[in-house]
Amino acid sequence: MGEVVIRILAAVAAFCLLPAAPAHAAADDEPRRLFTFQDPAITESSGLAVSPTHDDVYYTHNDSAAAPTFYAVDGKGRTLATYQVRGAEARDWEAMAASRDAEGRGVLWFADIGDNLNGAWPDISVYKVMEPRRLSDATLPATRYRFRYADGARNAEGIMVEPDTGRLYVVSKEFAGSVYAAPKRLRSDRVNVLRKVASAPLMATDAAYAPDGSSYVIRTYFSATLYRPSGELITKVTMPDLQQAESIAYTRDGKALLAGSEGPRSPVYRVPIPERALPTPKPSPVRAEKEPVADAEDVASESAGLTATDVLVWLAVAVGAIGVITFLARRTR
């Protein structure tokens, strides 16, 4: 009942705080259902990530389960493999993220960070698992990192990993949410301290970093908000109406978001990012030695601009066009 009340209050608050003109995708590129989870074991999909090394492969896990388990599915929502995580607990798994290490290998992160009592656990945990090379059922080892918040315990449902630095961030789920940064170097032999670095929307349910590191997104029950790495707001993105909006991820190319929901046979939607919110590609530098060398005649021609002949021809064409238009206008009277 308490969770339902919180969601109702959050809905009212979110309605009051909606922007006057949220960004929308073009009409010909609206959100569309990408796939539906087919596995009956996936009943509370809470975390979602795109495989960094396998094409058209997606990972998810349930909100709470008897064992720490995650699933690899294909682009049609069919389960390709089920994995158990050795040495991990599943008190309240709420989010996951995917990244690459310095050698380019895929890394999966699973966040046991749910704390509905805001202090029920002395610390929270995030498990690091190397992405499997083969998509077949297996038990995988994990490295456990324990965390505590510098400003006191709280509930959270979002994690994200900055691609360039590999730094981990946790996003709290509160009426006044926050983004917390983990230390640059994580220690598995002691508790790591999370420190607030930015604000987050109310009742955030997930977060993710863009593959190129140019932005990050924070999901709520009602919408998604894009931010620059500095914390500056870029835009809001309208989300499809889902039963219980929980998860968010970027597509591999960073041009769209993937939005998921809890529940049996829950869907995953592809939501385009507004074009004006996409990063502007930087022009590739051109090496001087590879630039074509123009002939002296070409250079002289370009620098001279329009010649007198060019001007006369242009004027003749313009006068002729005006004459044709005048003739047709008189004929139609």
Side-chain angles (χ1 to χ4, degrees), residues 92-153:
D92 192 357
W93 280 22
E94 287 289 359
M96 70 171 297
S99 62
R100 288 178 180 264
D101 65 9
E103 286 72 40
R105 298 173 300 179
V107 181
L108 304 179
W109 305 81
F110 299 93
D112 195 359
I113 57 177
D115 187 353
N116 292 323
L117 298 179
N118 293 328
W121 313 114
D123 55 61
I124 56 175
S125 298
V126 176
Y127 297 95
K128 177 183 176 182
V129 178
M130 299 307 298
E131 184 181 19
R133 297 178 184 273
R134 297 179 55 189
L135 297 173
S136 58
D137 295 357
T139 298
L140 305 174
T143 301
R144 179 190 184 190
Y145 297 106
R146 295 181 298 147
F147 298 91
R148 66 173 176 82
Y149 300 92
D151 53 357

Side-chain angles (χ1 to χ4, degrees), residues 67-97:
T69 305
F70 70 95
Y71 307 85
V73 304
D74 64 13
K76 295 184 178 179
R78 301 172 298 194
T79 297
L80 301 172
T82 301
Y83 299 97
Q84 309 299 325
V85 182
R86 185 169 64 243
E89 295 181 75
R91 295 184 305 198
D92 192 357
W93 280 22
E94 287 289 359
M96 70 171 297

Side-chain angles (χ1 to χ4, degrees), residues 241-304:
D241 186 19
L242 297 172
Q243 176 182 345
Q244 185 174 333
E246 284 284 334
S247 56
I248 198 78
Y250 281 82
T251 54
R252 181 85 71 86
D253 61 9
K255 294 182 179 180
L257 302 171
L258 300 181
S261 173
E262 286 193 0
R265 294 184 60 82
S266 59
V268 171
Y269 279 82
R270 181 186 184 277
V271 183
I273 294 174
E275 187 174 353
R276 63 183 180 82
L278 294 172
T280 303
K282 297 179 181 179
S284 301
V286 180
R287 296 182 180 179
E289 63 270 18
K290 290 188 177 181
E291 292 181 353
V293 178
D295 293 336
E297 184 178 345
D298 294 334
V299 174
S301 176
E302 290 177 4
S303 61

Side-chain angles (χ1 to χ4, degrees), residues 40-63:
I42 303 175
T43 58
E44 294 182 290
S45 175
S46 185
L48 180 67
V50 177
S51 169
T53 62
H54 299 292
D55 292 334
D56 203 26
V57 171
Y58 310 86
Y59 295 105
T60 191
H61 63 80
N62 284 321
D63 192 339

Side-chain angles (χ1 to χ4, degrees), residues 142-206:
T143 301
R144 179 190 184 190
Y145 297 106
R146 295 181 298 147
F147 298 91
R148 66 173 176 82
Y149 300 92
D151 53 357
R154 58 204 63 247
N155 188 27
E157 292 192 4
I159 63 166
M160 54 188 181
V161 178
E162 203 281 321
D164 294 334
T165 64
R167 193 165 192 171
L168 180 74
Y169 295 85
V170 176
V171 181
S172 65
K173 181 185 180 183
E174 303 170 284
F175 282 102
S178 302
V179 179
Y180 290 86
K184 292 181 179 179
R185 179 174 176 270
L186 297 179
R187 297 282 299 267
S188 60
D189 58 340
R190 68 185 187 194
V191 177
N192 300 272
V193 178
L194 296 166
R195 302 187 185 281
K196 179 179 176 178
V197 293
S199 298
L202 76 169
M203 305 304 287
T205 59
D206 203 4

